[in-house]
Structure formats: structure tokens, C-alpha cells
Amino acid sequence: IYLTSVKTAISLTVMHDGAGSTGVCYSVNGGAAVYGAIAANTLLTITPPTAGGGAFSVEIWPATSATSGRVGNLTHLICSGDEVTSLDVTNCPTLTDLYCRDNQLTTLDVSNNTALEDLDFSYSQLTSLDVSHLTALRYLKCSSCPQLSTLVVTNCPSLVGLWASGSALSGHFDASGISTAIEYFSVNNNNITSLSLPASNTYNSDMSDTWMILGNNDLDADALNALYSSLDPTAPLSEYPINVFGNPGTTSDDPSLA
């Protein structure tokens, strides 16, 4: 993993899988490796020195010592709130959890991270992201990304939770390729005009009484009625409500279609 930060002090949390590795190394600005021993599948927090402030880079890899080179795989990274300006995880195909919210990222390449199950890049500056190849992805959090106008989730059959409120999504949002057993789906406060969901999708969690939040978009009555008709008829809105407040179609839609 490679990242660049402009924060005066950062704290990173990582995990390795124990496939030969006994710990994790890091280096700052290409300097000497610092090794920390930690059991496999156990979170390790590292606080790299920032060498006097200003932009600096950090490399992180699994290892058995400071001189072993890369051994094993990283599976988990938390770098939230660290003023990260760039992040390269393309050499971590076994990464299952990536939490990089509240940073200054404008791009994120997860094309090689096919093992990802949980991804959070909320409060970032990304303009687009395609996760349609991440078939293991279960939770995607990308709320409050004011420049995020494109989000592709067309082939994510494991995706049961989506948080994408307060972004810049517009036009048709195709979520037909996500799981039919949705736990939580929030795309409120965007500019979405129509929405596709898997056929007969249904609420599948105790996470919230309101399992789908679509408020303050541009959904007209036709778009809302099409949505209602796609829902599982055994899960009526009276028991599993959908929040559609602030859409232009709410004055003439027909929730009885659900």
C-alpha cells in the first residue's frame, strides 16, 4: 500500500493474513523500514513520523522482519481523516476492508481488489467510481461526496448495504445488479430521476425501520410507481417503509403498487 498525506500526524490501522507474515512494515518517504510484530488477523495501529510536516509518502507491506521484503498479504486498512491525497492499493488483491473516508482523495483505483467486502470513501472528492467487478462487496459507503456524479454498481450481487446520500448522482441510477436481500439503501439528496433495483427485492435486516431512503431526488410519479412495482409483494410498505420525501412525484404516485 502506498499513500500520500499532508497531515502533520496520522494514524493508520492495518491487518495481515498470516500467509507467511508475522507482522507489518512501513517506511516514510522511502526511508528505513520499521517493523511491527502482530498476530495474523489482528489490527495494528501505526503512527508514521511526518518528518517535519508537509506532504509525505508512506509504504506499508506484510513482512517477517524489517529486511524480509514482502511476505504474505494485507487484508485491512483504515486511513480515515488523515488528509490523504493519494492512495494506491492496486497491489493488495486480498484486501477485504478499506476505510478511507474523510480525506482529500480525487481518484481511487480498486480494479485489482476483487476480495473487497467493505469499502468506505465517504467525505471525499472522488468524481466517479466503478465497483461493478467487486462481486464480493457487501457494504459500500460513499455519502457526502459532492463531486461524485458516477457510481457503477451493476454487477455487485453481494451488495446488501449502500450509503450514497448527499452526492452528485443524477439521471438513471442502475442498482439492478445488487443483492435482492437489501439491508440498507440510501441515495437521498442527489439528482436521481429514475432507479432500477433487482426484481422482488426485500428488506432483510434489523438495521433500520426505514430500509430505503430516496428523499430529495428528482423522481417523478412514473419513476416512483416503477420502483414500487419492483418490490417484493410480501413486504408491504406499511411494514417496511421507504422514504421518498422531497421528490416531485410524491403528490401523484401510487404506493399501493408495492
Side-chain angles (χ1 to χ4, degrees), residues 135-151:
T135 56
L137 189 65
R138 289 180 52 80
Y139 300 106
L140 176 60
K141 305 175 182 73
C142 49
S143 294
S144 300
C145 294
Q147 300 181 57
L148 184 69
S149 58
T150 302
L151 180 65

Side-chain angles (χ1 to χ4, degrees), residues 14-33:
V14 294
M15 183 187 295
H16 69 95
D17 64 0
S21 53
T22 57
V24 174
C25 277
Y26 74 85
S27 69
V28 176
N29 292 334

Side-chain angles (χ1 to χ4, degrees), residues 71-96:
V71 180
N73 305 286
L74 296 176
T75 60
H76 188 106
L77 171 66
I78 301 175
C79 58
S80 298
D82 283 315
E83 297 183 29
V84 174
T85 58
S86 68
L87 176 63
D88 184 351
V89 292
T90 55
N91 200 31
C92 294
T94 56
L95 200 65
T96 59

